[in-house]
Structure formats: C-alpha cells, structure tokens
Amino acid sequence: MLEAKIVFTGPPNAGKTTAIGILSDTPPLVTDVTNHDAALGKDRTTVGLDYGEVKLGEGESVRLFGTPGQKRFDFMWRILVRNAIGLVILMDNSQPGPLSQLTEILDALRESLAVTACVVGVGRTEQHPEPALERYTELLAERGLLVPVVAVDVREREDVMMLIELILSQAEARQALESDE
C-alpha cells in the first residue's frame, strides 16, 4: 500500500493551486488570500499551502502539497518538501524570466533535489514557445540534474496525472537502485 507525498512548487501564477484542484479526489484545502501585490497580476495568492489527495487504486494514494510561489515564502518550500518522494516544479512560459525563476527555485531546494524525484512542467508553451523546453533541460543539466521537462496544461487532469506518474516512476527506480546497493 502506497501513501506518498508529492510537492508542487513554482513561481506565482504557475498553476500550483489549479493543478492540485484538478487532480484531487477530495475538495482541496487552499490558503489563498486577497493579493495586494499588483506585480503578481492576480486577485488571490497562496500564503500557506494547498493540500489535496489523489487515489491511485488498490488502496494507494498520493498526498499533494502546493507551496506559495512568492520568494518571501521560500522557507515553506523547504518545510513542505521534507519527506516527499517527489517534487513537481511548475513554470509559466508566459511570465518574464522563467529561467531565472527556475534558478531561484533550484538554489532554494538544492539539498532536496539531490535526494528527491523531480519533474519540471512548463505551461503556456503554445502561446509562448520561448524559452524552448530544451533550454530548461540545459539549465538543469548545468546543475547536474537529470530531470524530465514537459509541456503541461495544469487545467487538464491527464497532464497533471502525467507529472505524478513521472515522479512515481523515478521514485520507484530510486528505490530499486537503493535496494540493490
């Protein structure tokens, strides 16, 4: 019986709350408040965490945690990623400087990324094809990280489930390698 924890993180507007909401089999817990930062360009923003759960069948489930996106809450990123089997980093290609935003996240979570399965989901690539997904992959490789990078629409359950499946596959492979040692 699997009960896993996967954390969704990324900058504001990347779709963390939406992804958890579309995937969760229970009404998600959301800690959104009225946004007072005009630079974020949205009415509400997460200040604590989001929480949902998806059932995989046969008594298996995945607990989904979403971090706040603002850099001032980066302490929450590190708290929430503890004991997680995976980390989904969501990026929004329509935002200015997505590669520098990814760099900030990688820096903040460097220690966790060394021991945690990870996938990068990049949204809004149809309307905003640059930077190309290959550029994200190159940035990760420059940091010694071999991480899948995929285009994703967080409003589509199948897309978000693909991210979960990629994490679970990596976690299973890690576990197999560790048991062989």
Side-chain angles (χ1 to χ4, degrees), residues 14-178:
K16 300 172 296 291
T17 300
T18 301
I20 289 172
I22 201 78
L23 198 58
S24 184
D25 292 324
T26 60
L29 169 70
V30 176
T31 60
D32 282 3
V33 298
T34 301
N35 175 40
H36 300 288
D37 182 353
L40 293 182
K42 62 183 193 171
D43 295 332
R44 300 187 62 76
T45 189
T46 303
V47 294
L49 61 93
D50 296 326
Y51 176 80
E53 187 174 309
V54 62
K55 295 178 185 354
L56 303 177
E58 299 179 25
E60 297 180 341
S61 64
V62 176
R63 294 173 291 134
L64 312 167
F65 289 82
T67 70
Q70 301 93 322
K71 177 91 171 102
R72 70 177 184 264
F73 293 117
D74 66 352
F75 68 94
M76 284 294 294
W77 305 350
R78 289 184 292 278
I79 291 169
L80 289 173
V81 80
R82 286 185 199 145
N83 301 315
I85 66 158
L87 180 63
V88 175
I89 301 174
L90 292 176
M91 301 302 301
D92 177 353
N93 234 27
S94 72
Q95 296 294 313
L99 295 175
S100 63
Q101 291 175 329
L102 178 58
T103 298
E104 286 182 0
I105 294 165
L106 297 175
D107 288 346
L109 296 174
R110 179 179 45 251
E111 292 172 14
S112 297
L113 287 167
V115 296
T116 307
C118 183
V119 63
V120 175
V122 183
R124 298 189 176 101
T125 56
E126 293 90 16
Q127 307 88 347
H128 304 275
E130 295 299 325
L133 296 181
E134 291 79 21
R135 186 61 194 112
Y136 287 91
T137 302
E138 290 167 2
L139 175 64
L140 291 157
E142 289 166 7
R143 294 168 166 273
L145 298 168
L146 181 59
V147 173
V149 177
V150 296
V152 65
D153 183 340
V154 296
R155 300 167 299 176
E156 297 293 332
R157 183 177 171 88
E158 296 80 24
D159 282 12
V160 181
M161 190 54 132
M162 171 189 59
L163 299 172
I164 298 300
E165 290 168 357
L166 285 167
I167 291 291
L168 293 174
S169 294
Q170 289 178 58
E172 185 177 305
R174 281 179 190 248
Q175 186 177 29
L177 284 173
E178 290 171 2

